[in-house]
């Protein structure tokens, strides 16, 4: 679709500018060659993706959190379409069952399970069930998340729930599932669905305190304690009503901070996991799906859930030669965070 748009734009320029006829023919020829090349590359990368570098099988188990709807549902669907076995989780079992039934009707290998990432009991039951049912997992996609702001709103009324879900809930499920990630020469994979709003080093919406920013960016100073201290400080300012002068990100402050913590934690965790032996490697990365039309955005956005899911699925299935750890991606490209 993107090719179609750029083609229309190019055609417009040629038709309406005063370029000579010969030059127009040359431009048209170059353009058609470029289109052929793009089409060929598309075929090659599809073939490569599906046939040559396919490291997974129908025995490969992927768990997706918050997968009853939105981007999570799409990630679950696309992983299953690629041939993995997907455990589709939701905090409400009936919703997991409904979503799973839809995907099974398409012939996909999907299983429902209840999982509320903020509930220690639910996480433990889930882990025990996985152990009994599958003996371990290969891919974990941490998609579950909440946001209570929209448009120009910036309320922190639900800040505690946002931080508890997006950061501490995700951290809980990572720590619980890590010992169950199966060793393999391809490496197990953790994909965290995050947001550009949580970039520690972004031009906009960043943390005002330069020392805190620097400490979050540097390996020597970054720690879980530093993240806990930052979030506790923010929540106590929310409680005493002083948060607006705290130098926090200005847009969707609670959500941005929860995703910033998740991004930075991903880097920290990647560093720790890099000490593992090759046969026990776990790659952990995060990505921003873009501005996606889902319930979270009140169906505003410029992308479908299907498009939003793409980078996460791509990261989960990268061949081991091309996979890194502790990185942040958007639109299948690494970006600085
Ligand atoms: P949705 O609201 O459609 O989906 C969120 C999912 O998370 C739902 O399935 C929800 O379950 C689930 N969830 C919420 N809390 C919990 C919990 N405690 N335990 C388990 N599951 C939970 O939103 P999106 O699909 O848009 O969001 C998916 C992810 O993408 C989120 O992490 C979000 O932050 C991120 N994201 C989204 C963007 C967008 O533009 N849409 C942009 C950037 C990032 P339930 O149905 O029960 O509420």
């Amino acid at each position: 679709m993107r090719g179609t748009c750029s083609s229309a734009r190019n055609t417009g320029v040629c038709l309406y500018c005063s370029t000579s006829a010969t030059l127009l023919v040359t431009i048209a020829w170059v353009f058609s060659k470029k289109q052929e090349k793009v089409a060929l590359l598309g075929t090659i990368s599809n073939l490569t993706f599906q046939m040559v570098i396919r490291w997974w099988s129908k025995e490969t188990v992927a768990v997706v959190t918050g997968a009853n709807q939105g981007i999570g549902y799409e990630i679950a669907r696309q992983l299953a379409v690629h041939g993995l076995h997907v455990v589709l989780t939701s905090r409400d079992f009936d919703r997991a069952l409904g979503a799973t039934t839809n995907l099974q009707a398409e012939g996909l290998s999907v299983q429902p399970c209840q999982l509320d990432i903020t509930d220690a009991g639910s996480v433990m039951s889930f882990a025990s069930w996985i152990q009994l049912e599958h003996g371990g997992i290969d891919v974990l996609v941490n998609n579950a998340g909440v946001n209570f702001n929209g448009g120009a709103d910036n309320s922190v009324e639900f800040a505690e729930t946002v931080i508890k879900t997006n950061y501490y809930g995700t951290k809980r499920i990572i720590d619980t599932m890590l010992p169950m990630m199966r060793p393999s020469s391809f490496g197990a994979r953790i994909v965290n669905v995050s947001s550009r709003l949580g970039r520690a080093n972004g031009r906009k919406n960043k943390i005002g305190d330069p020392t805190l920013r620097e400490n979050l960016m540097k390996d020597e100073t970054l720690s879980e304690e530093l993240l806990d201290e930052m979030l506790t400080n923010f929540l106590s300012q929310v409680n005493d009503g002083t948060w607006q002068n705290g130098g926090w990100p200005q847009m969707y402050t609670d959500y941005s901070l929860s995703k910033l913590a998740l991004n930075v934690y991903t880097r920290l965790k990647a560093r720790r996991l890099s000490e593992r032996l090759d046969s026990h490697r776990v790659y952990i990365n995060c990505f921003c799906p873009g501005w996606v039309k889902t319930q979270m955005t009140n169906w505003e956005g410029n992308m479908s859930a299907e498009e939003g899911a793409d980078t996460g699925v791509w990261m989960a299935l990268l061949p081991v030669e091309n996979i890194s750890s502790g990185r942040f991606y958007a639109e299948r490209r690494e970006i600085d965070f």
Side-chain angles (χ1 to χ4, degrees):
M1 287 309 287
R2 283 191 187 129
T4 316
C5 293
S6 91
S7 152
R9 272 202 301 277
N10 280 353
T11 314
V13 169
C14 296
L15 281 177
Y16 295 109
C17 73
S18 55
T19 319
S20 75
T22 320
L23 188 54
L24 268 180
V25 170
T26 313
I27 290 170
W29 183 81
V30 170
F31 180 69
S32 76
K33 285 287 157 202
K34 195 175 158 199
Q35 291 295 87
E36 274 172 29
K37 201 170 159 191
V38 168
L40 180 66
L41 281 175
T43 324
I44 290 169
S45 65
N46 260 345
L47 280 175
T48 316
F49 199 55
Q50 287 165 19
M51 293 160 71
V52 185
I53 53 173
R54 185 185 163 113
W55 56 265
W56 62 93
S57 72
K58 61 184 176 28
E59 316 299 331
T60 306
V61 176
V63 169
V64 186
T65 67
N68 52 289
Q69 62 177 33
I71 297 165
Y73 176 81
E74 260 306 318
I75 292 177
R77 191 185 69 80
Q78 291 179 27
L79 287 174
V81 165
H82 279 293
L84 288 85
H85 176 75
V86 175
V87 178
L88 186 156
T89 73
S90 166
R91 55 183 162 176
D92 180 310
F93 179 75
D94 287 341
R95 288 195 216 166
L97 184 62
T100 300
T101 308
N102 286 342
L103 295 178
Q104 285 171 342
E106 293 178 34
L108 301 174
S109 177
V110 183
Q111 234 180 334
C113 196
Q114 194 277 341
L115 173 63
D116 181 335
I117 61 167
T118 60
D119 176 348
S122 167
V123 172
M124 288 320 295
S125 311
F126 176 71
S128 311
W129 177 81
I130 283 282
Q131 189 62 50
L132 276 175
E133 185 79 8
H134 296 289
I137 64 168
D138 306 285
V139 176
L140 170 65
V141 182
N142 292 304
N143 163 80
V146 289
N147 170 40
F148 296 90
N149 283 305
D153 301 342
N154 193 20
S155 157
V156 290
E157 191 185 346
F158 300 103
E160 210 162 314
T161 305
V162 171
I163 304 278
K164 192 173 150 200
T165 308
N166 298 357
Y167 176 60
Y168 288 108
T170 304
K171 192 170 150 212
R172 182 199 302 276
I173 190 82
I174 291 173
D175 288 340
T176 309
M177 298 314 286
L178 255 177
M180 301 172 67
M181 301 209 73
R182 293 198 273 234
S184 82
S185 52
F186 311 110
R189 287 109 195 272
I190 301 177
V191 174
N192 295 326
V193 186
S194 192
S195 168
R196 283 184 178 92
L197 288 173
R199 289 170 67 198
N201 214 13
R203 265 186 303 136
K204 289 190 211 156
N205 211 36
K206 62 185 174 195
I207 289 190
D209 177 355
T211 312
L212 174 57
R213 241 179 18 239
E214 205 180 308
N215 288 343
L216 290 168
M217 298 302 292
K218 280 201 305 210
D219 281 356
E220 311 83 69
T221 43
L222 173 59
S223 65
E224 281 183 50
E225 291 73 28
L226 178 69
L227 289 172
D228 288 344
E229 198 185 302
M230 175 183 82
L231 297 171
T232 307
N233 191 11
F234 168 65
L235 289 175
S236 80
Q237 290 182 16
V238 167
N239 280 335
D240 65 23
T242 58
W243 67 276
Q244 265 158 324
N245 301 321
W248 306 112
Q250 300 81 38
M251 190 181 175
Y252 302 170
T253 304
D254 51 7
Y255 178 80
S256 297
L257 210 54
S258 72
K259 293 294 189 181
L260 184 147
L262 176 61
N263 292 342
V264 173
Y265 179 72
T266 302
R267 202 168 54 226
L268 179 64
K269 204 74 187 172
R271 209 171 65 214
R272 292 196 190 138
L273 291 170
S274 69
E275 288 153 14
R276 287 188 171 199
L277 294 174
D278 271 358
S279 56
H280 285 74
R281 288 306 287 273
V282 178
Y283 300 96
I284 178 167
N285 292 293
C286 43
F287 84 102
C288 176
W291 188 30
V292 184
K293 292 174 204 160
T294 63
Q295 185 170 301
M296 183 175 282
T297 57
N298 206 13
W299 312 106
E300 284 184 48
N302 52 15
M303 293 167 85
S304 64
E306 189 176 349
E307 290 166 318
D310 175 75
T311 297
V313 173
W314 171 79
M315 284 160 63
L317 300 183
L318 272 173
V320 69
E321 298 77 27
N322 301 98
I323 197 163
S324 316
S325 204
R327 310 289 171 92
F328 185 97
Y329 293 87
E331 288 144 27
R332 294 195 182 195
R333 275 196 302 262
E334 186 185 344
I335 60 175
D336 177 33
F337 70 107

